[in-house]
Amino acid sequence: MPDTVSSPTHPHHPRRTAPAAVGTTGAHPAPPSAGNRFAGQDVLVAAAAVASAVAVLLLGLRAGDALAAAIPGLPDPGPVTAWALPVARLLVDGLATVPVGLAVTAAFLLPGDGPSVSPYGWLLLRRAGLAAAAWAATALVLIVLTVSDLLGIPAGRLGAATVVSFATAISQGQALLLQAGLALTVAVLARVGVSRGLAAAVALVAVVAVVPPAFTGHAAGAGNHQIAVSSLVLHVVAAALWVGALVALLMVRRSRHLADAVSRYSRLALGCFVAVAVSGTVNAAVRLGNVEELWRSRYGWLVLGKLAALVVLGAVGAAHRARTLPALRSGRRGGFARLAAGEVVVFAAALGLAVALSRSPTPVAVDPLDADPVTELLGFPMPAAPTPGRLLGQPLPDLFVLSAVAVGAAGYLAGVWRLRRGGHRWPVARTASWLGGLAVLAAVTNLGVARYAYVLFSAHMVQHMVLSMLVPILLVGGAPVTLALRALRRPADPDVRGAREWLLLALHSRPARLLTHPLVALGSYAGSLFALYFSDLFGALMRSHVGHLAMLVHFVIAGYLLFWVLIGVDPGRPRVPYPILMLIHLAAMMAHGFFGLVLMQSTTLIAPDWYLAVHPSWASALLADQQLGAGIAWAFGEIPAAAVMVVLVRRWVRADQREQARLDRAADRAEATGEADDLARYNAFHAAANHAGSDGPTDR
């Protein structure tokens, strides 16, 4: 049950008797000891965190040589921009963590009040809205300061047209503008309702809003920007979840559900710690170039500082698990509050170091006069002519995919282990199918074929076909939803929604029913072929890492939805008669074949601007390579499609056999009891109808 609170909207009623309506804008009661202002201790913690972040930022800027005097003769934005820009960056990054953590805590860590969040969850949502509004405003200020820094013009002398042009036409400005828009969306959503589903949506939008700036700056300009960008995105998302949720727990430390919430947060924090450590190490390796730069360069000194902060935070996390969690369960909260407050201050210092790093020159520098335009576009040099060894070697790692594969494999195997430990069996074939799908997914997106998919349309089409047909069929065969529903445990507190409860809600939600409708799944799978390649969309997506990644993710999801509808065994799948499934599968095969034939006969180049810029000297003509890709698209799906057809036919036959067996059993029971079975009653009905028709009057 939620904490007992007084309702500010009903002062004459000392207790709230019912939660506010889901999705309404009515006020939700707040905890009596919190109100709408930070408590005195919260203010002290916030002040200490800000002071720590600013102090470390200034020291880091000085140590990283980020405040060097402007070169004489070059434009200088002036001291205001030089000092205000990193501070604004610090505020944006710091404010970004707060709505993420507050919304995640309200939706997932605290118990709810029926369909609504708890009173403390309501408080967190309101504060998340305020923080998001400040985040959006600061991001807009950062746009102005960034323009001033890039053009070398004091901020006060910038024209509105210049700022608008930067925000709408330059990738760095577009990222900041998008972040401001998403932050404003979070601020609005956090005020429009109190349902737990809405809180989850706020958390999702807030997490997405953290990401856009990571696709610009040092990471996007790195020579290996695939791994640089992906590692940075994982780094900032994990850090936001880790820090923001801790801040939220400090705000609700008076809640009697604090011990359980901290226990759930501890598992989240451990995962975030691992993600931050791994992604930070990978990102630093890309930017440093070699290990010696850790102690030779100023940038390396700052990296060592962040590493020291990570070690301290890991030690604090271990202390939480060993000391404060048992103390919380016994009712002693003071130790948690003190240790968590110190942890927030260390986090703030690490954030200051991170901003200083973003403003400091990296040891791996590129001479703009000697830059390779192909490397600038691809993030790696032009590969040599393909051979089997090069297609399977020369890896191009992407931490997004590798992280998803690692989490998917570990979670699946943990579920299988839990079932077997409980005495339940799980088919080995399903495990092999799931792990095989993940292995193929990792191979086709991280091995050498991924490099050639950027420069050859034929290699891209191989990647497309594997991701949209082979990988989804294998993943669907693993029945991951069934495994999750059997292996996941229900929370001890019935007011808490665990992973199993959220999964069930997602399966029965309207969006899920829409996406898994047979016609929608078919349209998404087949229609995207024509929408992607016969428009300018494909070329636009190839020019950015996030666009390319989104395209690959769409291939997998569209294929998964279609084959889940066709051959899936998981609950939540729509029950469609087998004749309809056969027609859907035939329609998908026909659309696939028609797409390949149209593309083979086409004489118009797809994404000509992209492929002309990255066309290898050893490759065949662009149109010839495109026609080869069309042939691959036409022929590749035959074997997977035939396998799916065999599965459908076998299941149809088995379903008919089961139905016939049921009718036979019913007939046997009817004969033994002397009662008419369904078939006998059906025949008798038709005989009576025919007799009545033959004896009745006939109009002439």
Side-chain angles (χ1 to χ4, degrees):
M1 295 295 294
D3 300 84
T4 302
V5 296
S6 301
S7 174
T9 56
H10 300 285
H12 300 294
H13 297 276
R15 293 177 62 86
R16 183 173 59 88
T17 58
V22 178
T24 64
T25 57
H28 198 293
S33 58
N36 294 321
R37 298 177 302 172
F38 287 155
Q41 294 178 351
D42 295 330
V43 174
L44 291 177
V45 172
V50 171
S52 172
V54 173
V56 173
L57 170 64
L58 297 180
L59 290 174
L61 291 173
R62 181 65 66 182
D65 202 23
L67 295 176
I71 299 176
L74 293 180
D76 183 7
V80 174
T81 297
W83 291 97
L85 179 59
V87 173
R89 178 77 267 173
L90 176 66
L91 289 175
V92 168
D93 292 347
L95 288 170
T97 65
V98 177
V100 171
L102 269 58
V104 166
T105 303
F108 303 108
L109 301 184
L110 291 175
D113 187 3
S116 303
V117 297
S118 67
Y120 276 104
W122 172 86
L123 176 67
L124 293 180
L125 281 181
R126 292 302 181 267
R127 289 181 173 176
L130 294 175
W135 177 15
T138 311
L140 294 176
V141 173
L142 185 58
I143 292 176
V144 177
L145 293 173
T146 303
V147 177
S148 172
D149 182 60
L150 291 176
L151 298 182
I153 301 174
R157 293 168 48 191
L158 288 173
T162 302
V163 176
V164 171
S165 177
F166 171 78
T168 56
I170 306 301
S171 61
Q172 192 172 357
Q174 291 170 341
L176 290 172
L177 185 62
L178 176 60
Q179 185 177 60
L182 291 172
L184 187 60
T185 302
V186 171
V188 174
L189 289 177
R191 303 287 300 184
V192 300
V194 294
S195 72
R196 285 197 272 186
L198 179 65
V202 172
L204 177 61
V205 177
V207 169
V208 173
V210 174
V211 171
F215 289 96
T216 61
H218 281 173
N224 190 357
H225 62 232
Q226 282 83 4
I227 193 170
V229 169
S230 57
S231 61
L232 182 58
V233 170
L234 290 174
H235 193 77
V236 298
V237 169
L241 289 169
W242 188 5
V243 182
L246 181 64
V247 172
L249 291 175
L250 275 174
M251 292 182 182
V252 300
R253 62 185 177 275
R254 296 179 179 85
S255 170
R256 60 190 179 89
H257 298 287
L258 179 64
D260 293 335
V262 171
S263 179
R264 288 185 284 274
Y265 166 76
S266 180
R267 294 189 289 272
L268 172 66
L270 179 60
C272 291
F273 173 81
V274 173
V276 167
V278 173
S279 60
T281 301
V282 172
N283 196 267
V286 172
R287 300 186 187 188
L288 287 171
N290 56 73
V291 178
E292 289 79 7
E293 293 296 339
L294 273 174
W295 54 86
R296 290 180 179 176
S297 65
R298 292 175 177 266
Y299 191 91
W301 299 347
L302 298 181
V303 171
L304 289 175
K306 281 195 67 178
L307 177 61
L310 183 65
V311 172
V312 172
L313 292 171
V316 173
H320 274 304
R321 286 176 171 267
R323 296 170 51 190
T324 61
L325 274 176
L328 281 173
R329 295 190 182 99
S330 63
R332 302 190 306 273
R333 307 181 184 184
F336 166 77
R338 289 189 295 271
L339 195 59
E343 192 175 2
V344 168
V345 173
V346 176
F347 270 126
L351 181 60
L353 274 175
V355 175
L357 277 168
S358 69
R359 297 288 298 166
S360 301
T362 62
V364 178
V366 177
D367 184 357
L369 299 178
D370 193 32
D372 178 15
V374 173
T375 302
E376 290 289 320
L377 283 174
L378 300 177
F380 54 87
M382 177 67 71
T387 63
R390 289 168 181 164
L391 289 172
L392 298 177
Q394 297 182 344
L396 185 68
D398 189 301
L399 281 192
F400 287 137
V401 179
L402 293 178
S403 298
V405 168
V407 171
Y412 195 95
L413 292 176
V416 173
W417 177 77
R418 178 174 289 182
L419 284 183
R420 292 187 175 178
R421 190 179 62 172
H424 304 286
R425 297 183 60 186
W426 183 256
V428 176
R430 289 185 179 180
T431 303
S433 181
W434 176 262
L435 296 180
L438 292 179
V440 174
L441 171 62
V444 79
T445 55
N446 288 269
L447 294 182
V449 64
R451 293 181 181 268
Y452 292 96
Y454 278 94
V455 299
L456 295 176
F457 183 80
S458 55
H460 165 81
M461 194 54 67
V462 170
Q463 192 180 53
H464 181 171
M465 295 299 104
V466 171
L467 291 176
S468 63
M469 297 197 73
L470 182 57
V471 169
I473 291 173
L474 292 172
L475 294 181
V476 167
V481 176
T482 301
L483 176 63
L485 292 177
R486 292 183 184 179
L488 290 172
R489 297 170 180 170
R490 293 180 175 86
D493 187 346
D495 290 328
V496 174
R497 284 182 183 171
R500 189 177 188 276
E501 287 69 30
W502 282 108
L503 178 58
L504 286 172
L505 284 173
L507 286 175
H508 297 95
S509 64
R510 291 182 179 178
R513 290 197 296 270
L514 174 64
L515 292 174
T516 56
H517 189 282
L519 295 180
V520 174
L522 174 62
S524 175
Y525 180 82
S528 60
L529 289 171
F530 298 91
L532 177 64
Y533 295 109
F534 294 115
S535 69
D536 295 332
L537 181 60
F538 177 64
L541 293 177
M542 290 294 289
R543 287 190 169 272
S544 70
H545 181 57
V546 63
H548 185 260
L549 184 66
M551 179 171 54
L552 301 184
V553 170
H554 169 76
F555 294 157
V556 177
I557 293 178
Y560 188 92
L561 290 175
L562 177 66
F563 293 112
W564 191 46
V565 170
L566 292 175
I567 60 173
V569 297
D570 285 327
R573 168 181 170 266
R575 300 303 174 187
V576 182
Y578 280 100
I580 302 299
L581 292 179
M582 297 289 287
L583 290 176
I584 292 172
H585 184 47
L586 288 173
M589 293 174 60
M590 292 174 61
H592 218 275
F594 181 70
F595 166 76
L597 289 175
V598 171
L599 198 56
M600 279 192 289
Q601 296 175 1
S602 175
T603 58
T604 302
L605 287 177
I606 295 176
D609 293 341
W610 171 259
Y611 282 112
L612 285 172
V614 299
H615 186 61
S617 58
W618 43 259
S620 58
L622 288 177
L623 189 58
D625 182 67
Q626 180 175 302
Q627 290 173 345
L628 174 60
I632 292 172
W634 178 78
F636 183 91
E638 298 299 322
I639 295 178
V644 172
M645 182 67 73
V646 170
V647 172
L648 283 174
V649 171
R650 289 183 60 186
R651 290 185 180 178
W652 192 357
V653 171
R654 289 178 180 176
D656 285 346
Q657 290 174 345
R658 287 193 297 268
E659 180 63 17
Q660 185 60 48
R662 186 189 68 81
L663 293 175
D664 292 342
R665 290 193 300 269
D668 293 340
R669 286 195 302 269
E671 182 179 357
T673 59
E675 298 178 355
D677 64 342
D678 292 341
L679 181 59
R681 286 193 293 269
Y682 179 78
N683 291 333
F685 169 77
H686 271 282
N690 292 333
H691 179 72
S694 62
D695 293 342
T698 303
D699 294 332
R700 299 283 183 185

